[in-house]
Amino acid sequence: MGCATLDLVGAASLKLNTNTHFLRSPKPFLSFVGPIRSRNLNGPSSTLLTCHAHKSRPSVSLRVQCTAAAPEEERVVVLVIGGGGREHALCYALKRSPSCDSIFCAPGNPGISNSGDATCISDLDISDSSAVISFCRKWVVGLVVVGPEAPLVAGLVNDLLKAGIHAFGPSSEAAALEGSKNFMKSLCDKYGIPTAEYQTFTDPSAAKQYIQKQGVPIVVKADGLAAGKGVIVAMTLDEAFEAVDSMLVKGSFGSAGCRVIVEEYLEGEEASFFALVDGENAIPLESAQDHKRVGDGDTGPNTGGMGAYSPAPILTKELQDIVMKSIIYPTVKGMSAEGCKFVGVLYAGLMIEKKSGLPKLIEYNVRFGDPECQVLMVRLESDLAQVLLAACRGQLSEVSLNWSAGSAMVVVMASKGYPGPYEKGSVIRNLDEAENVAPSVKVFHAGTALDPDGNFIAAGGRVLGVTAKGRDLKEACDRAYQGVEEINWPGGFYRRDIGWRALPLPQKQFVTRG
């Protein structure tokens, strides 16, 4: 690959990649006709190129000077699918990838655009595979990273691969690991993967009889995708019966709840384990631990996640080896044997059992977790674009990952009322001040929009992820909460004890400034 420098009279030089057909930007002022190629990339060469300028400017002829580049260097344009905090974190990491030419995010969000971490394409319909494929061809996208679960289950990756476009994420068949808890449990049974005992039901009376026999506490789960809210940990029989009725009788989760899984309650400490998979090989990411419950001390209903930290002390090197050997590798091999090879991120929600100290699989997600992705991406030092391309090509056995020392923490700021009904439209101020309050603070946007005056406003349940790195977990925690304290958002709330399991000392009680 070579680098072409265009010397324009009276204009700054532009650099092009010789492996791309066109140089474009969302608002191009130059469009280059034909591919740029040089037969001799071992030394300087030049060629004359005719360029058609923007409509308001005349065409020009330019002499292109080509110089050699390192042969192992590969440049790529990336499209990230999604618009939440996870996708913001992925864009942030890709922007730091040396081989990443440019990053698009669809639909993205105003925080991603405002930070310059990616160019957001808000009008691209990510549920329309043909529209996504057309966009990729138009902008010479070499890698698509699919963030949310819904487009994965819908088969976006299948369609991209058929079109010859590298896509990081599982096929719709493989995405059933998350799309159907019954599928995941059946795989565990068949391939000896340790998980909680369970039974699946479509009849509410049969489910209640099973619950009565097993006793409480017990866990009731909607089989399908329920935006992280389809899991009820019932401490009483009444709570368990109400969960069954909500899913099977009232249809609170729609088609996702037309079948329920009732499983044993596991006592211990939860942890999140991530592995990159290329269909045959798997490599672990750094450990992380999130906080699902809405309230301090892990109280209240489950949410999509109120905060996270990395690394997680509970996941020792010995435990990580056990997880890879007993859970991840059997899953990868089992999926291959079932005829639906898994490519993407396996996110294993684990319970480290109190009585045995060993991990059991609670559930799989088939994408980067949110908010765990935020702490992982700020710590990743490898070239993310190249790592994900290696996974797409079945070359993970050749990859090793580099991580920053120390720790990272993210504190989620959510709209008051979440995970129940919440109001939208409240104004959020001082976001720039939050990022400048301490070193290594980054505010990831998960659910923001802009009002007519250009102010950031809340547009979702989980709205911001205030993330910070530190030499250790305490410093990361202090910096993250300093950032949170700086934000002026009366309509929001957050947990004040993120990291409490790994930080035995009582944490400060911060109050959001009104």
Side-chain angles (χ1 to χ4, degrees):
M1 178 186 313
C3 175
T5 301
L6 279 69
D7 295 313
L8 288 81
V9 177
S13 294
L14 299 174
K15 286 188 181 293
L16 299 177
N17 293 318
T18 59
N19 66 327
T20 59
H21 289 311
F22 302 100
L23 174 69
R24 291 193 180 102
S25 66
K27 295 180 180 179
F29 68 90
L30 284 175
S31 175
F32 295 88
V33 178
I36 300 168
R37 290 287 186 265
S38 173
R39 293 184 179 274
N40 176 21
L41 290 181
N42 296 316
S45 62
S46 65
T47 187
L48 192 65
L49 186 67
T50 300
C51 305
H52 296 281
H54 190 275
K55 293 179 181 179
S56 62
R57 306 182 186 184
S59 297
V60 292
S61 293
L62 311 132
R63 184 159 296 279
V64 180
Q65 185 71 34
C66 295
T67 56
E72 70 275 6
E73 180 187 353
E74 179 178 10
R75 311 293 301 176
V76 63
V77 175
V78 182
L79 169 64
V80 176
I81 300 293
R86 165 183 50 234
E87 289 75 38
H88 192 174
L90 290 169
C91 291
Y92 172 76
L94 287 164
K95 184 183 176 182
R96 296 174 7 246
S97 295
S99 68
C100 198
D101 262 349
S102 56
I103 309 107
F104 296 102
C105 187
N109 66 51
I112 296 174
S113 290
N114 187 67
S115 65
D117 291 325
T119 299
C120 292
I121 314 297
S122 59
D123 59 351
L124 178 59
D125 183 0
I126 62 173
S127 66
D128 182 349
S129 293
S130 61
V132 176
I133 291 167
S134 295
F135 180 90
C136 291
R137 287 174 172 161
K138 178 179 179 181
W139 297 99
V140 201
V141 171
L143 172 66
V144 178
V145 182
V146 185
E149 60 272 28
L152 292 169
V153 174
L156 176 59
V157 168
N158 303 55
D159 296 334
L160 288 166
L161 294 179
K162 287 177 185 175
I165 299 168
H166 284 306
F168 180 79
S171 66
S172 58
E173 296 81 8
L177 274 176
E178 178 174 0
S180 171
K181 293 178 179 63
N182 184 61
F183 175 89
M184 184 272 287
K185 286 287 195 178
S186 298
L187 191 84
C188 289
D189 284 347
K190 187 171 182 178
Y191 294 97
I193 299 164
T195 187
E197 293 183 6
Y198 77 102
Q199 281 197 25
T200 303
F201 300 92
T202 56
D203 176 60
S205 297
K208 291 177 183 179
Q209 288 176 10
Y210 179 78
I211 290 168
Q212 184 86 45
K213 181 179 179 180
Q214 297 299 314
V216 290
I218 202 162
V219 182
V220 183
K221 297 181 176 179
D223 177 54
L225 299 176
K229 301 173 185 176
V231 178
I232 306 297
V233 180
M235 306 307 291
T236 67
L237 285 175
D238 286 343
E239 288 178 350
F241 294 164
E242 183 181 346
V244 169
D245 287 338
S246 174
M247 296 177 192
L248 292 181
V249 179
K250 298 176 183 176
S252 299
F253 296 104
S255 60
C258 65
R259 181 166 52 184
V260 300
I261 287 83
V262 181
E263 66 178 33
E264 71 170 314
Y265 174 82
L266 299 176
E267 186 177 1
E269 188 169 345
E270 291 188 43
S272 303
F273 189 93
F274 297 87
L276 297 180
V277 183
D278 67 4
E280 299 289 347
N281 306 297
I283 57 174
L285 301 181
E286 270 287 74
S287 63
Q289 189 163 14
D290 76 338
H291 299 65
K292 290 295 186 188
R293 299 295 189 103
V294 72
D296 291 354
D298 287 340
T299 57
N302 275 334
T303 70
M306 294 299 294
Y309 55 91
S310 175
I314 185 69
L315 278 170
T316 62
K317 179 64 169 65
E318 180 185 10
L319 263 181
Q320 290 183 55
D321 291 342
I322 292 173
V323 172
M324 290 296 292
K325 182 177 180 180
S326 67
I327 296 176
I328 301 298
Y329 289 140
T331 299
V332 175
K333 292 176 181 177
M335 292 294 285
S336 181
E338 294 297 313
C340 49
K341 287 187 177 183
F342 186 95
V343 175
V345 174
L346 268 181
Y347 163 17
L350 304 175
M351 179 66 75
I352 312 302
E353 276 201 288
K354 187 176 182 180
K355 59 183 179 182
S356 67
L358 295 175
K360 282 190 174 181
L361 178 65
I362 301 174
E363 64 178 0
Y364 267 132
N365 290 339
V366 296
R367 62 316 196 286
F368 287 100
D370 186 347
E372 296 96 330
C373 185
Q374 287 83 313
V375 290
L376 292 173
M377 290 302 104
V378 298
R379 292 193 60 213
L380 181 67
E381 293 186 339
S382 300
D383 186 322
L384 180 61
Q386 291 305 307
V387 170
L388 300 186
L389 278 172
C392 294
R393 294 166 174 163
Q395 299 171 347
L396 278 183
S397 59
E398 305 170 14
V399 170
S400 60
L401 299 176
N402 298 318
W403 303 90
S404 65
S407 298
M409 179 179 285
V410 56
V411 178
V412 170
M413 301 187 74
S415 297
K416 287 180 179 178
Y418 176 81
Y422 54 85
E423 290 187 7
K424 297 182 180 180
S426 53
V427 176
I428 307 166
R429 304 186 189 279
N430 293 0
L431 294 176
D432 289 341
E433 290 81 351
E435 290 193 334
N436 294 326
V437 73
S440 302
V441 175
K442 174 70 177 179
V443 179
F444 292 111
H445 290 239
T448 60
L450 294 176
D451 69 11
D453 296 322
N455 299 309
F456 283 108
I457 57 173
R462 292 186 298 160
V463 177
L464 301 170
V466 184
T467 310
K469 292 196 296 182
R471 290 168 295 184
D472 52 29
L473 187 57
K474 183 180 184 305
E475 184 172 70
C477 176
D478 288 344
R479 288 175 173 177
Y481 275 106
Q482 286 173 28
V484 169
E485 192 179 27
E486 195 68 26
I487 293 173
N488 181 341
W489 181 28
F493 78 98
Y494 55 94
R495 278 184 58 165
R496 294 168 172 80
D497 65 343
I498 302 302
W500 69 272
R501 290 183 182 274
L503 290 169
L505 297 176
Q507 291 180 238
K508 298 177 183 179
Q509 299 297 304
F510 292 100
V511 178
T512 304
R513 285 167 27 180

